[in-house]
């Protein structure tokens, strides 16, 4: 049943599978990276900007509001066609912008209790496993649903239970995948490209002088130092 759930569907190939349907997220992510790099290069501190701080603290609320607004279009009497067209054309772009503003604020170290909570060291192992979890989470989710032989009701409690179960199983399966495949592949890449060798003293000194400050992470400089 799950294998044929979207069989013959016209919505899936039009709205979900094409890469350009997620282009807003890709573009917003790349733009965020360039803005962060530009700010670090030029000593711009967004944490001191009052307008950006206001937008940063409101970004998750605004992004969540855009997502929840889609519930209106699932009712028995949906809004007019022009409202559907406007929402369909802007929802992914707005969500991408708001959540990337939040990430930019976190990278810029804007003061926030939520940011401090997200920097808890206990989340570091989960962050290390995030790529493997991304690769296998849909497989785990489908197996979890397909193994249930009883009829289920889509309630808030059942959705929370499915979220917890799928998350625990996904990260448990991601651990051996990361240890046996991802980390060895990274080390093999470093050995093949010679990135394990450190730069000569003069290069290291010049690169150290180019870094704006020690407490800020410049990902471009980090990549350059690693490759050299």
């Amino acid at each position: 049943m799950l294998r044929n759930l979207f069989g013959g569907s016209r919505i899936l190939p039009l709205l979900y599978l094409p890469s350009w349907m997620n282009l807003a997220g890709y573009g917003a992510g790349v733009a965020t990276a360039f803005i962060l790099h530009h700010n670090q290069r030029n000593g711009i501190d967004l944490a001191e900007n009052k307008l950006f701080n206001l937008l940063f603290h409101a970004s998750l609320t605004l992004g969540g509001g855009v997502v929840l607004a889609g519930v209106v279009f699932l009712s028995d009497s949906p809004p007019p066609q022009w409202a559907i067209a406007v929402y369909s054309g802007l929802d992914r772009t707005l969500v991408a912008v708001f959540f990337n503003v939040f990430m930019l604020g976190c990278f810029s170290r804007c003061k926030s209790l939520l940011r401090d909570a997200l920097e808890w060291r206990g989340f570091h192992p989960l962050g290390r496993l995030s790529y493997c979890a991304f690769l296998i989470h849909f497989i785990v989710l489908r197996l979890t649903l397909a193994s249930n032989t009883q009829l289920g009701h889509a309630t808030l409690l059942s959705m929370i239970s499915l979220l917890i179960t799928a998350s625990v199983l996904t990260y448990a399966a991601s651990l051996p995948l990361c240890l046996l495949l991802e980390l060895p592949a990274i080390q093999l890449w470093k050995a093949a490209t010679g990135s394990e060798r450190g730069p000569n003293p003069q290069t290291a000194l010049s690169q150290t002088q180019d870094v704006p400050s020690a407490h800020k992470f410049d990902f471009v400089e980090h990549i350059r130092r690693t490759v050299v």
Side-chain angles (χ1 to χ4, degrees):
M1 177 180 177
L2 286 173
R3 186 180 300 111
N4 300 321
L5 185 61
F6 295 101
S9 172
R10 297 178 60 187
I11 297 179
L12 186 68
L14 287 176
L15 299 182
Y16 294 100
L17 295 183
S19 59
W20 56 83
M21 294 303 297
N22 294 316
L23 189 61
Y26 305 149
V30 173
T32 300
F34 274 105
I35 292 173
L36 179 63
H37 176 60
H38 176 269
N39 292 346
Q40 291 176 339
R41 277 294 191 181
N42 295 276
I44 301 174
D45 190 4
L46 289 178
E48 302 297 330
N49 189 301
K50 294 182 179 180
L51 180 60
F52 180 81
N53 270 274
L54 180 62
L55 184 59
F56 163 69
H57 285 91
S59 58
L60 289 184
T61 303
L62 294 174
V66 173
V67 175
L68 293 177
V71 178
V72 178
F73 302 95
L74 301 177
S75 61
D76 295 332
S77 56
Q81 291 291 330
W82 67 265
I84 297 176
V86 171
Y87 182 81
S88 300
L90 297 178
D91 64 329
R92 298 192 182 196
T93 302
L94 292 176
V95 169
V97 169
F98 288 137
F99 280 91
N100 276 276
V101 166
F102 176 76
M103 287 198 302
L104 182 60
C106 290
F107 295 147
S108 303
R109 306 195 65 82
C110 293
K111 294 181 180 180
S112 170
L113 294 178
L114 179 58
R115 182 188 62 80
D116 294 338
L118 293 175
E119 289 185 348
W120 179 51
R121 294 183 63 85
F123 289 136
H124 291 187
L126 299 181
R128 175 68 268 182
L129 298 174
S130 61
Y131 181 66
C132 292
F134 164 74
L135 293 178
I136 67 173
H137 80 281
F138 190 66
I139 299 174
V140 174
L141 184 60
R142 291 186 64 175
L143 291 176
T144 303
L145 292 173
S147 62
N148 187 10
T149 58
Q150 299 176 347
L151 293 177
H153 299 279
T155 63
L156 178 62
L157 183 61
S158 65
M159 293 296 101
I160 294 176
S161 176
L162 177 61
L163 173 64
I164 295 175
T165 302
S167 299
V168 171
L169 293 177
T170 296
Y171 278 99
S174 298
L175 181 59
L177 182 63
C178 179
L179 295 177
L180 299 177
L181 185 60
E182 182 183 3
L183 294 182
I186 292 175
Q187 295 301 321
L188 179 62
W189 172 259
K190 288 182 178 180
T193 58
S195 58
E196 289 285 357
R197 300 189 301 271
N200 58 65
Q202 293 182 352
T203 305
L205 179 60
S206 61
Q207 291 175 345
T208 303
Q209 293 173 348
D210 291 339
V211 178
S213 59
H215 69 280
K216 292 184 178 180
F217 176 71
D218 190 332
F219 61 94
V220 176
E221 288 296 333
H222 175 75
I223 294 174
R224 289 174 178 171
R225 292 196 302 270
T226 304
V227 171
V228 174

